[in-house]
Amino acid sequence: MRPIDALVNALPEGRVLTDPDVIDSYARDRTFLEPGKPLGVVLAASRDDVVTTMTWASEHRVPVVPRGGGTGLAGASVAGDGAIILSLAKMTAIKELSPADEIAVVEPGVITADLDRAAREHGLMYAPDPSSYQISTIGGNLATNAGGLRCVKYGVTRDSALGLEVVLADGRVLNTGRRTMKGVTGYDLTGLFVGSEGTLGVITAATVRLRQAPAAPPATFAAEFGSLRDAGAAVSAIMAAGCQPSLMELLDRATLEAINDLRNFGLEAETTAMLIGQSDAADGQAVAERMEQICMDNGASFVAVSSSPQEAEELIGLRRMAYDAKERLGACLVEDVCVPRSVLPDMITAVEAAAARHGVKICTVAHAGDGNLHPVFIFDRGSLEPPAEVWAAADEIFTHALELGGTLTGEHGVGLLKQRWLAMEAGPVAAEVQRGIKAVFDPLGILNPGKAI
Amino acid sequence: MRPIDALVNALPEGRVLTDPDVIDSYARDRTFLEPGKPLGVVLAASRDDVVTTMTWASEHRVPVVPRGGGTGLAGASVAGDGAIILSLAKMTAIKELSPADEIAVVEPGVITADLDRAAREHGLMYAPDPSSYQISTIGGNLATNAGGLRCVKYGVTRDSALGLEVVLADGRVLNTGRRTMKGVTGYDLTGLFVGSEGTLGVITAATVRLRQAPAAPPATFAAEFGSLRDAGAAVSAIMAAGCQPSLMELLDRATLEAINDLRNFGLEAETTAMLIGQSDAADGQAVAERMEQICMDNGASFVAVSSSPQEAEELIGLRRMAYDAKERLGACLVEDVCVPRSVLPDMITAVEAAAARHGVKICTVAHAGDGNLHPVFIFDRGSLEPPAEVWAAADEIFTHALELGGTLTGEHGVGLLKQRWLAMEAGPVAAEVQRGIKAVFDPLGILNPGKAI
């Protein structure tokens, strides 16, 4: 009997898929990375299925690649030869939602937006909102410590994770964390699993924090600048003024041109950058007007505050179009550096310089309030992977981000894509310590090998 | 040559103290726990001193007990026989304070309130404010993941920790985390060290997040209730109304009586609980009045909103007096359970029942917005340690907290004091995993043995 037949027998009927085409569709994420030839896909429907799969995988030493919505941008769920893909996407139960305690207990396959919608029925919200939140899963968000647009006010996924149920590599079940807002019993295992990209265990349930939803739709402003530096100064001034924006996005000229080509919004020749911000505070309209004034004080050539939710949707719609607009230009490598906020203009300038030097088209959108930039490298759709000049430009950008006190990845994760730069940031002691931690949880090295660390 | 002489020789002159009386004064924290007979005290003045000490300790297999301000309430810095006490209290440099990036880089001996004061010079604040913040150190706050009064709005110490410099057990230097607001490169080692009570490494520098300081002093209200349940309902209603209090403290009848005995504030016979809350929002006065109204709607017998900072100081002064008032009654064992907010009244009722059943005096103050209670057990000052009935009542309270979905310790840590209950909360898999992590960082088991896990 082949090992996979033992797995098929051990699980309830229909859980294992072995059709090569189907396997291939589960072996990819949103990167260009080509998967290997995995053995099969487990569609887990329960914690028991995960326990059975991990027990089997440990016995047969088969690599396991856990997977949520497949929306990753770093290759963390791209599966290699001989692996079992463990999909948690069918575990979609919201097991508990307590308005009084402002928490929910969910299975990992719950779609991010579905949890948020469920919370809103009780006047609450689930704050983390990665751009893919309509199709990403909570499990995937936890595995990558996903960020999003609202991070600037509400923090990243880790800031909303209180406790986890995790199946370890050998099939044991570990409970971490708590249901309470505070707690310091033992080491922070919850925080350790969040962002570990499935390399330490498989999350089968999560207790997450909900927050009071704003009473009214957010107030929105947009500002155009003739200079990146002015736009950066406006961001700093807005944050320093204590405006607490709930969204603060910066679009560079290349991105604006791509959007304008897709839907003409009358981009002016002298516009170099656009800032789009929101406030979801009770006095949001007043705060948005204050942010508008700060933009004017910092040299904005044009500013508008939305006077209605419809107008706000139109402004924010420009930002939402950014990725589609870029995809029309070619294949995309989406990068994710993060720098201290004050050097955001320097970083964008460095991105533009690298683009020019290497003859690469790069469009940049930034979660400006966090200093988190997404330079998107456009390359020929015919290429299997980005050409050498893209990697050369990326290399320069990563080096520059680290020199500015930044990091390789603000919210997408290391996956496979950042492996070649990891040592530049982490250093040998951190690398050794992380390998040691990995070995505690996964001594056989079967959990998503080659990812994260 | 004795091992300690090798240490004296390896360090700059004057760093090692060996006078037994002096050692004893460094071997204690704020618990009743009696230390053993440590070998000596190192007063580290630099990272190099810490490296030298740890290298020596590894060579000679000497236990090391790191120490900040000694304000701990769980025994984490109580030193045993043959240990070296490693005091970081002299490393007090604020190495960097960047208003633009809202971060500071500090040595571990910086007093919490000093960092906050330095930040306020730039319109910023350091949010975590454990009650001991005037004498506690950032290093100690990080080691215990200290909470405080402002947690209800700004989170605990971990939420302000971005990156650390840590000397490992063998003297290697590890850098964790980052200077940026977001970052997901590798495992969350920063979060792992925060709250690890000196068992994984010695923190020699920290990059912490600062926040915009409120523009005006907070607005304050106090409300008296005839029933604990009404007070609890008021807390839930205030949080559900999205008031975002920056402080929300509940004092039970026993605490109010102790304060009233210390300074008569006219405690009414029918008052069972008092709630003191603050808002530091721009419209704080309006929010405080809204919280006042919610208290009235929930059956408060008396409510007052301060009309001036002086009046606010008087209200908050009652809360600040709580611990002094209790210390007048006898020796104190300060406990620290945390429960989901909705069951806070149940938990306080259970504390009162345990007090009555075991004939123990217990006064409770709660960070009510977080569900974090500090039942203070009063016992005879002549006893070396709490009598059996105190432990019996504590046992009952801990069991009840866990049954309510709570935790043994919301913000004080496990130290030595919670060791006997730890297995009840963490379970065998978590215990094994934590021992595995400990062994990665400290294979010889010399770092603060017997604490935290």
Side-chain angles (χ1 to χ4, degrees):
Chain A
M1 192 165 72
R2 295 174 309 165
I4 190 146
D5 297 325
L7 179 61
V8 171
N9 291 341
L11 286 167
E13 208 181 324
R15 294 283 197 277
V16 185
L17 310 177
T18 53
D19 179 290
D21 288 345
V22 174
I23 294 174
D24 190 74
S25 71
Y26 279 91
R28 297 167 182 276
D29 66 0
R30 295 203 127 193
T31 61
F32 58 86
L33 295 161
E34 280 295 312
K37 298 270 175 229
L39 289 182
V41 180
V42 172
L43 299 179
S46 70
R47 186 187 77 184
D48 285 353
D49 289 351
V50 176
V51 169
T52 301
T53 304
M54 293 313 305
T55 307
W56 168 87
S58 276
E59 190 186 335
H60 297 279
R61 306 208 170 196
V62 176
V64 175
V65 183
R67 173 185 185 82
T71 59
L73 291 163
S77 54
V78 172
D81 289 337
I84 277 288
I85 296 162
L86 176 52
S87 169
L88 289 309
K90 300 276 185 201
M91 292 178 65
T92 57
I94 297 177
K95 297 160 76 171
E96 183 189 342
L97 200 158
S98 165
D101 292 325
E102 298 181 0
I103 59 172
V105 182
V106 299
E107 288 189 331
V110 171
I111 298 292
T112 316
D114 287 346
L115 175 57
D116 189 43
R117 273 189 285 269
R120 300 231 177 215
E121 286 176 25
H122 303 274
L124 300 168
M125 66 192 264
Y126 176 67
D129 64 336
S131 294
S132 55
Y133 74 113
Q134 295 284 4
I135 48 171
S136 69
T137 64
I138 299 292
N141 294 170
L142 289 162
T144 56
N145 189 21
L149 306 186
R150 293 197 289 240
C151 287
V152 62
K153 181 163 180 182
Y154 297 106
V156 293
T157 299
R158 184 179 285 119
D159 299 313
S160 287
L162 296 174
L164 301 174
E165 176 190 81
V166 180
V167 176
L168 298 180
D170 58 8
R172 283 180 303 165
V173 177
L174 169 69
N175 287 288
T176 75
R178 50 203 156 77
R179 292 169 61 86
T180 53
M181 285 298 135
K182 289 156 76 179
V184 288
T185 305
Y187 299 149
D188 181 21
L189 299 178
T190 306
L192 187 62
F193 277 100
V194 176
S196 66
E197 300 183 358
T199 63
L200 300 178
V202 182
I203 296 168
T204 49
T207 303
V208 297
R209 182 179 177 173
L210 306 175
R211 291 166 198 270
Q212 291 299 320
T220 307
F221 79 90
E224 294 176 17
F225 292 85
S227 126
L228 264 176
R229 208 152 289 278
D230 287 350
V235 171
S236 291
I238 285 169
M239 301 305 284
C243 293
Q244 287 200 281
S246 51
L247 178 150
M248 175 64 68
E249 300 285 305
L250 192 149
L251 292 70
D252 77 346
R253 174 81 198 175
T255 301
L256 292 169
E257 283 175 358
I259 295 172
N260 202 52
D261 287 348
L262 177 59
R263 203 181 72 188
N264 192 322
F265 64 94
L267 176 64
E268 300 286 341
E270 72 275 13
T271 299
T272 299
M274 182 185 281
L275 206 58
I276 301 177
Q278 290 191 323
S279 168
D280 64 3
D283 58 341
Q285 193 68 24
V287 176
E289 282 162 20
R290 200 163 150 219
M291 295 196 280
E292 175 185 40
Q293 183 60 49
I294 293 172
C295 288
M296 287 195 284
D297 295 346
N298 281 275
S301 54
F302 171 81
V303 188
V305 170
S306 63
S307 58
S308 70
Q310 290 71 28
E311 238 182 79
E313 266 309 302
E314 277 168 36
L315 289 177
I316 215 76
L318 288 180
R319 166 63 182 88
R320 291 227 180 87
M321 256 181 269
Y323 194 72
D324 285 348
K326 288 166 196 175
E327 281 212 310
R328 290 177 71 229
L329 303 177
C332 293
L333 169 67
V334 186
E335 278 309 338
D336 176 42
V337 292
C338 190
V339 294
R341 191 194 304 140
S342 64
V343 294
L344 184 66
D346 300 288
M347 191 63 228
I348 297 182
T349 305
V351 170
E352 293 182 342
R357 187 156 33 244
H358 296 281
V360 176
K361 175 90 179 166
I362 306 181
C363 305
T364 300
V365 167
H367 305 312
D370 297 319
N372 186 193
L373 289 78
H374 296 307
V376 177
F377 298 67
I378 317 289
F379 60 96
D380 186 55
R381 217 180 286 281
S383 317
L384 262 182
E385 79 151 85
E389 62 269 23
V390 164
W391 291 126
D395 199 61
E396 219 173 282
I397 288 168
F398 291 139
T399 305
H400 203 80
L402 293 176
E403 281 168 8
L404 288 172
T407 176
L408 294 172
T409 172
E411 57 181 17
H412 292 172
V414 169
L416 290 168
L417 214 51
K418 300 286 187 332
Q419 290 291 336
R420 63 170 101 181
W421 295 281
L422 196 51
M424 278 166 60
E425 180 171 344
V429 179
E432 194 179 328
V433 160
Q434 294 188 82
R435 284 194 299 269
I437 291 172
K438 165 81 172 162
V440 168
F441 289 91
D442 181 23
L444 302 176
I446 59 172
L447 270 167
N448 215 6
K451 314 289 175 62
I453 61 166
Chain B
M1 192 164 74
R2 296 174 308 166
I4 190 143
D5 296 325
L7 179 61
V8 170
N9 290 341
L11 286 166
E13 208 181 324
R15 295 284 197 277
V16 185
L17 310 177
T18 53
D19 178 291
D21 288 345
V22 174
I23 293 174
D24 189 75
S25 72
Y26 279 91
R28 297 167 183 275
D29 66 0
R30 294 202 128 192
T31 60
F32 59 86
L33 295 161
E34 280 296 310
K37 298 271 175 229
L39 289 181
V41 179
V42 173
L43 298 178
S46 69
R47 185 187 76 184
D48 285 354
D49 289 351
V50 177
V51 169
T52 302
T53 304
M54 293 314 304
T55 307
W56 168 87
S58 276
E59 189 185 336
H60 297 279
R61 307 209 169 196
V62 175
V64 176
V65 182
R67 175 186 183 80
T71 59
L73 291 163
S77 55
V78 172
D81 289 337
I84 276 288
I85 296 162
L86 176 51
S87 169
L88 289 309
K90 300 276 185 202
M91 292 178 64
T92 58
I94 297 177
K95 296 160 78 172
E96 183 189 343
L97 199 158
S98 165
D101 292 326
E102 297 182 0
I103 60 172
V105 182
V106 299
E107 287 189 331
V110 171
I111 298 291
T112 316
D114 287 347
L115 175 57
D116 189 43
R117 274 189 284 270
R120 300 232 177 213
E121 285 175 26
H122 303 274
L124 300 168
M125 67 191 267
Y126 176 68
D129 65 337
S131 295
S132 55
Y133 74 113
Q134 294 285 2
I135 49 171
S136 69
T137 64
I138 299 292
N141 294 171
L142 289 163
T144 56
N145 189 21
L149 306 186
R150 292 197 290 240
C151 286
V152 63
K153 182 163 180 181
Y154 297 106
V156 294
T157 299
R158 185 178 286 120
D159 300 313
S160 287
L162 295 175
L164 301 173
E165 176 189 82
V166 179
V167 176
L168 298 180
D170 58 9
R172 283 179 304 165
V173 176
L174 169 69
N175 287 287
T176 76
R178 51 205 156 76
R179 291 169 60 87
T180 53
M181 286 297 135
K182 290 156 76 180
V184 288
T185 305
Y187 299 149
D188 181 21
L189 299 177
T190 305
L192 188 62
F193 276 100
V194 176
S196 67
E197 300 183 0
T199 63
L200 300 178
V202 182
I203 296 167
T204 50
T207 303
V208 297
R209 181 179 180 173
L210 306 174
R211 290 166 199 271
Q212 292 299 320
T220 306
F221 80 90
E224 295 176 17
F225 293 86
S227 127
L228 265 176
R229 208 151 289 276
D230 287 350
V235 171
S236 291
I238 285 169
M239 301 304 283
C243 292
Q244 286 200 284
S246 52
L247 178 150
M248 175 65 67
E249 300 286 305
L250 190 149
L251 292 71
D252 77 347
R253 174 81 198 176
T255 302
L256 293 170
E257 282 176 358
I259 295 172
N260 202 52
D261 286 349
L262 178 60
R263 205 181 69 188
N264 191 322
F265 65 92
L267 176 63
E268 301 287 342
E270 72 275 12
T271 299
T272 298
M274 183 186 279
L275 206 58
I276 301 178
Q278 291 192 322
S279 168
D280 65 2
D283 57 342
Q285 193 68 24
V287 176
E289 282 161 20
R290 202 163 149 218
M291 295 195 281
E292 177 185 39
Q293 183 60 51
I294 292 172
C295 287
M296 287 196 284
D297 295 346
N298 282 276
S301 54
F302 171 82
V303 188
V305 170
S306 64
S307 58
S308 71
Q310 291 71 26
E311 237 181 79
E313 265 310 302
E314 277 167 38
L315 289 177
I316 215 75
L318 289 181
R319 165 64 181 88
R320 291 228 180 87
M321 254 181 272
Y323 193 72
D324 285 347
K326 288 166 197 176
E327 282 212 308
R328 289 177 72 230
L329 303 178
C332 293
L333 170 68
V334 185
E335 279 309 338
D336 176 40
V337 291
C338 189
V339 293
R341 192 194 303 139
S342 63
V343 294
L344 185 66
D346 301 288
M347 191 63 227
I348 297 181
T349 305
V351 169
E352 293 182 343
R357 186 157 31 243
H358 297 280
V360 176
K361 176 91 180 165
I362 307 180
C363 305
T364 300
V365 167
H367 305 312
D370 297 320
N372 186 193
L373 289 79
H374 296 308
V376 177
F377 298 68
I378 316 290
F379 60 97
D380 185 54
R381 218 179 285 282
S383 318
L384 263 182
E385 77 151 86
E389 61 271 22
V390 164
W391 290 127
D395 199 60
E396 219 173 283
I397 288 168
F398 291 140
T399 305
H400 203 80
L402 294 176
E403 281 168 7
L404 288 173
T407 175
L408 294 171
T409 172
E411 58 181 14
H412 292 172
V414 169
L416 291 168
L417 214 50
K418 299 286 187 332
Q419 290 290 337
R420 61 169 103 181
W421 295 281
L422 196 50
M424 277 166 58
E425 180 171 343
V429 179
E432 194 179 328
V433 160
Q434 293 188 83
R435 284 194 299 268
I437 292 172
K438 165 81 172 163
V440 168
F441 288 91
D442 180 22
L444 302 175
I446 59 171
L447 270 166
N448 214 6
K451 314 288 175 62
I453 61 165

